[in-house]
Amino acid sequence: MNSPKAQPVQASAIAGAVGTESANRLIYRFVDKSAPRLEVPTDPEEWRIRAGDLRQRVLELLLRGHASGIFDAEVPFEWMEVLESNADYRIRKLRFEGYPGVWIPAVLYEPVTIGDSRNPEDRARGATPAVLDALGHTPAGNTQGQAQARRINLAKRGVLTLGFEFGGCGQTSNLKNHNGQLLLDVVGVCGAGVFYLIMKRALDILLGLGATDHDRVAMTGISGGGWQTILLSALDERIKVSVPVAGHMPAFLRRDSADIGDAEQLPADLCTVADYDVLSAMVAPRPILFVYNKYDSCCFQAHKAVAGSYEPAKPVYELLGVGDLCGLHISSEPGHHYGHDNRAKLYEWLNLHFGLRTQSTDLPWVDEMLPRSELLVELPPSRRSWVALADKGLEEIRIREASHPRPVDRHSIDTLLRWRPSTITDTTIVTSWFRLPSDTPTVLPWSEPPSAVPSRDVQLQNLILEIDGSWPLPARMAKVSDAAECTIVIGGAAGSNSSDQILTERALDAGRTLLLVDLVGLGSMRPADKYVLLLHALGRPLLGLQVAQLTALSEWLKSNGYGPITVETSGLAASVIALFAAARSPEHFLAIDSKGGLPYSFDEIIEAPLTFTASNHALFCHGLRSTLDVPDLVALAEPVEIRDGLVGILR
């Protein structure tokens, strides 16, 4: 058998392979290296064609798995109570079905000068500028102070302003389990598409008002509202002026957990079509003002975000001959805010592009704020949660499979995993010693065996196995000198809980070589939850990386004379990874030995339901259950023996 060549220990490699923070760093370095960047053409017409194509492709990505016709469906909405507590404007409450079964509370701030904006007099018809005001992750919802401040100010300036709550915040508690949207990915539905349809339907309502001037429609919002603003502005040219505030930056610049954002901001495969540098440029040639806070206490601080939004967009505006329509404002007021400084820039930008003549500072608003009790909008008693939406998707899959059984082959697996093969690019032996049988006379454990000692001993190596030049995986290998078989052990912290002595004795007792290794996402290589979203947005889902790494390890072992190979797993995710590897490349494996964890069906992910945390990250691969199920993998893994410690032999 050939052993890996001992090399000097690379401290950076070892440090990068251990611990959550190090796993986080490895992921964002991988994303930084792999994510595409905006390339600005030299021909304006080429950009216009490209932007149009990108709009269609991003829409297709966001609408994956959603019901056909949902994009153009009529928006169900109901007007509610009217508040007329001010001489300058009135507040009309409404609720609309932003997505089937998901009702959103909204408020329309309506200048009294135009009368009823829904059925205005001829003098107001189609003549009133309008703003779609998107909220972010604020539990206060429509009662949030800064939101009331800008809505009151806009209404006093004669601007119709429709504000709506962010799904999962404020009154929409049915969507409060924010990462629950990732359950939709399992059934092949893009969770971010729910948010997109909510904001798109809010815009439909605003444009449906008789008073709205369709040539003077703007959108703004902070944080999650800023994210909504850049997304809808990029994809919907009905937005004529855009003012996103502290809400976006491309994946390759997201380092800190707060900057990564939430699942809707990084839907699976987004970066393969258009990251946020591209989306920022896609607003061109319509006016856009990028607003960030220098001392932001939350996320997207100016010194990090400007390089991935304003700076890539500006050359596109200049290419189209409208460089002055791409603006930037950086507030020095502390905090994550849409405060007076930022609101002043909003008013100035609207004055410039809507032909208004209003002051650039706030009009009186503090005494006009309303309490939560007055701004609450009554919602229907029946509202779907993320789990309910995923359950509906699962039910549709089952019905479809019952009437039209779908064939599953290895090409289906490759498509699901966004397959790219991996290879071992380097090995570093950190430490190496021998463990001899305890009854060996006159020889101390951990010593080099003399030539007269029987050959059955165990060489124990602590290794760093580097994969694809990006993933230094920590491993321990107990090599029994006369072993005929080899076992790869993955899952949880199984390896770290075994002492060197226990590991070597176990290898001797079993008479086989053992390789304990932490794949990315497992054990000491497990990152914080949000960092996995970066991989999925990049089009490199964690499950695909893990299956490729396990396959590469098996190939490396076989090339070094170890085998046949069994994979021993503990935990649900590790068992699924091994099953995928066996189904895709059965020639590499003798058996999969799960210590309890193999599910009967991926339906369990939805029905339990599982949460996007700990070692379950890989199971939230987009399209997992809509593409195949556990019995499909078991069948494709033939002739590999599949064993489970709780239920016995599966095949």
Side-chain angles (χ1 to χ4, degrees):
M1 299 180 185
N2 298 320
S3 298
K5 182 180 178 181
Q7 300 177 20
V9 176
Q10 299 295 320
S12 60
I14 297 171
V18 179
T20 296
E21 284 301 318
S22 296
N24 294 347
R25 289 199 302 272
L26 288 172
I27 286 178
Y28 71 62
R29 287 172 187 165
F30 178 76
V31 173
D32 183 36
K33 180 175 68 174
S34 307
R37 270 63 162 178
L38 170 64
E39 295 182 3
V40 181
T42 57
D43 180 10
E45 186 60 25
E46 181 183 345
W47 172 256
R48 294 187 184 97
I49 293 172
R50 185 195 299 179
D53 176 64
L54 287 173
R55 286 189 187 95
Q56 183 60 38
R57 291 173 59 198
V58 175
L59 275 175
E60 290 173 356
L61 183 145
L62 293 173
L63 296 176
R64 283 188 298 182
H66 295 279
S68 60
I70 196 170
F71 180 79
D72 294 316
E74 186 175 345
V75 184
F77 71 97
E78 301 171 11
W79 292 104
M80 311 293 285
E81 181 185 0
V82 180
L83 306 177
E84 303 210 41
S85 58
N86 189 279
D88 297 316
Y89 59 90
R90 65 180 64 88
I91 301 173
R92 296 186 185 275
K93 299 181 183 180
L94 67 148
R95 64 190 187 191
F96 67 97
E97 196 173 29
Y99 189 80
V102 177
W103 285 84
I104 304 296
V107 284
L108 178 69
Y109 283 68
E110 181 183 72
V112 296
T113 55
I114 65 172
D116 188 339
S117 61
R118 301 169 299 175
N119 186 27
E121 300 173 7
D122 290 342
R123 62 184 174 82
R125 186 176 299 279
T128 309
V131 169
L132 184 63
D133 186 53
L135 285 176
H137 300 90
T138 170
N142 284 320
T143 63
Q144 201 246 359
Q146 292 182 358
Q148 290 196 59
R150 60 183 179 271
R151 292 168 182 178
I152 291 170
N153 266 275
L154 290 170
K156 287 186 171 185
R157 287 167 163 78
V159 179
L160 270 170
T161 306
L162 179 62
F164 62 100
E165 290 193 346
F166 194 89
C169 298
Q171 291 184 249
T172 57
S173 56
N174 52 308
L175 303 179
K176 193 169 185 178
N177 178 19
H178 214 61
N179 281 339
Q181 66 186 275
L182 294 171
L183 291 169
L184 296 182
D185 279 70
V186 179
V187 295
V189 179
C190 179
V194 175
F195 291 93
Y196 175 78
L197 287 166
I198 290 171
M199 65 181 93
K200 186 260 183 188
R201 289 183 169 193
L203 178 61
D204 290 342
I205 292 171
L206 182 60
L207 290 171
L209 299 174
T212 300
D213 182 349
H214 288 211
D215 291 326
R216 293 190 294 170
V217 176
M219 185 172 182
T220 193
I222 180 174
S223 196
W227 165 74
Q228 292 178 85
T229 299
I230 195 63
L231 185 65
L232 191 61
S233 299
L235 301 183
D236 199 322
E237 294 177 285
R238 295 179 298 172
I239 299 290
K240 303 304 181 183
V241 175
S242 182
V243 185
V245 180
H248 75 286
M249 61 195 291
F252 58 81
L253 289 178
R254 300 190 184 208
R255 300 287 188 266
D256 300 327
S257 179
D259 292 327
I260 292 176
D262 296 276
E264 72 277 358
Q265 299 180 27
L266 292 168
D269 307 313
L270 174 69
C271 299
T272 66
V273 181
D275 202 347
Y276 288 97
D277 55 341
V278 179
L279 289 168
S280 296
M282 285 168 58
V283 181
R286 292 162 289 148
I288 187 170
L289 176 65
F290 295 94
V291 179
Y292 292 101
N293 300 311
K294 184 176 182 179
Y295 304 110
D296 203 303
S297 56
C298 166
C299 46
F300 305 122
Q301 293 171 333
H303 72 277
K304 295 181 287 185
V306 169
S309 55
Y310 169 76
E311 289 182 4
K314 186 71 171 181
V316 174
Y317 276 81
E318 292 172 344
L319 174 71
L320 300 178
V322 289
D324 58 328
L325 300 187
C326 182
L328 172 67
H329 171 65
I330 298 175
S331 173
S332 294
E333 292 183 12
H336 186 60
H337 70 87
Y338 205 142
H340 175 269
D341 180 29
N342 290 337
R343 291 197 298 273
K345 294 302 178 182
L346 169 68
Y347 309 146
E348 291 177 5
W349 199 249
L350 295 181
N351 283 346
L352 179 63
H353 299 292
F354 281 177
L356 304 177
R357 295 183 179 179
T358 69
Q359 68 183 57
S360 62
T361 55
D362 277 333
L363 300 168
W365 62 272
V366 175
D367 293 337
E368 299 170 32
M369 287 181 61
L370 297 179
R372 176 184 176 88
S373 58
E374 292 191 46
L375 284 176
L376 285 176
V377 177
E378 182 181 354
L379 297 177
S382 178
R383 289 170 277 154
R384 285 180 175 159
S385 65
W386 292 119
V387 174
L389 292 173
D391 278 335
K392 183 176 183 295
L394 178 59
E395 180 183 356
E396 292 172 353
I397 290 170
R398 288 169 168 169
I399 293 172
R400 187 167 61 246
E401 290 176 345
S403 57
H404 300 287
R406 41 123 178 85
V408 176
D409 54 21
R410 292 185 177 91
H411 177 71
S412 303
I413 294 177
D414 285 358
T415 301
L416 171 67
L417 300 179
R418 288 69 160 173
W419 179 257
R420 297 186 195 179
S422 289
T423 57
I424 303 288
T425 50
D426 196 8
T427 60
T428 299
I429 300 174
V430 180
T431 56
S432 180
W433 56 82
F434 284 84
R435 171 71 165 93
L436 303 176
S438 58
D439 57 353
T440 302
T442 69
V443 178
L444 296 175
W446 318 117
S447 65
E448 291 286 342
S451 58
V453 171
S455 61
R456 193 165 192 270
D457 51 42
V458 182
Q459 183 183 19
L460 186 70
Q461 292 180 335
N462 284 285
L463 302 169
I464 299 295
L465 300 175
E466 183 184 84
I467 294 186
D468 298 334
S470 299
W471 308 105
L473 307 182
R476 288 189 296 161
M477 191 170 186
K479 300 190 292 184
V480 179
S481 56
D482 60 350
E485 296 183 4
C486 180
T487 296
I488 302 174
V489 183
I490 62 171
S496 61
N497 285 338
S498 298
S499 69
D500 292 338
Q501 183 171 354
I502 291 174
L503 177 61
T504 53
E505 289 178 353
R506 183 183 167 197
L508 277 169
D509 291 342
R512 60 173 59 225
T513 292
L514 300 180
L515 176 66
L516 278 68
V517 61
D518 286 337
L519 305 180
V520 60
L522 297 177
S524 63
M525 286 291 289
R526 190 173 72 202
D529 295 345
K530 287 187 174 184
Y531 287 83
V532 178
L533 298 174
L534 292 172
L535 295 174
H536 287 209
L538 193 64
R540 301 297 305 275
L542 180 61
L543 180 60
L545 286 170
Q546 292 169 325
V547 174
Q549 289 178 359
L550 180 56
T551 304
L553 289 168
S554 70
E555 292 173 342
W556 175 75
L557 287 169
K558 291 183 74 172
S559 69
N560 281 283
Y562 301 99
I565 296 170
T566 294
V567 182
E568 179 184 305
T569 68
S570 61
L572 176 58
S575 299
V576 170
I577 294 163
L579 186 56
F580 263 100
R584 192 189 176 281
S585 306
E587 69 277 7
H588 287 298
F589 305 99
L590 177 67
I592 304 299
D593 189 3
S594 171
K595 301 305 180 184
L598 273 173
Y600 284 95
S601 168
F602 290 135
D603 293 5
E604 298 175 25
I605 299 172
I606 308 301
E607 293 175 327
L610 292 186
T611 57
F612 182 71
T613 187
S615 297
N616 292 328
H617 295 142
L619 302 176
F620 291 83
C621 181
H622 183 89
L624 178 65
R625 178 60 184 91
S626 57
T627 300
L628 46 74
D629 203 358
V630 173
D632 299 314
L633 295 172
V634 172
L636 287 171
E638 189 177 0
V640 180
E641 185 173 295
I642 311 295
R643 303 187 291 260
D644 185 275
L646 296 180
V647 300
I649 297 177
L650 277 70
R651 195 209 53 254

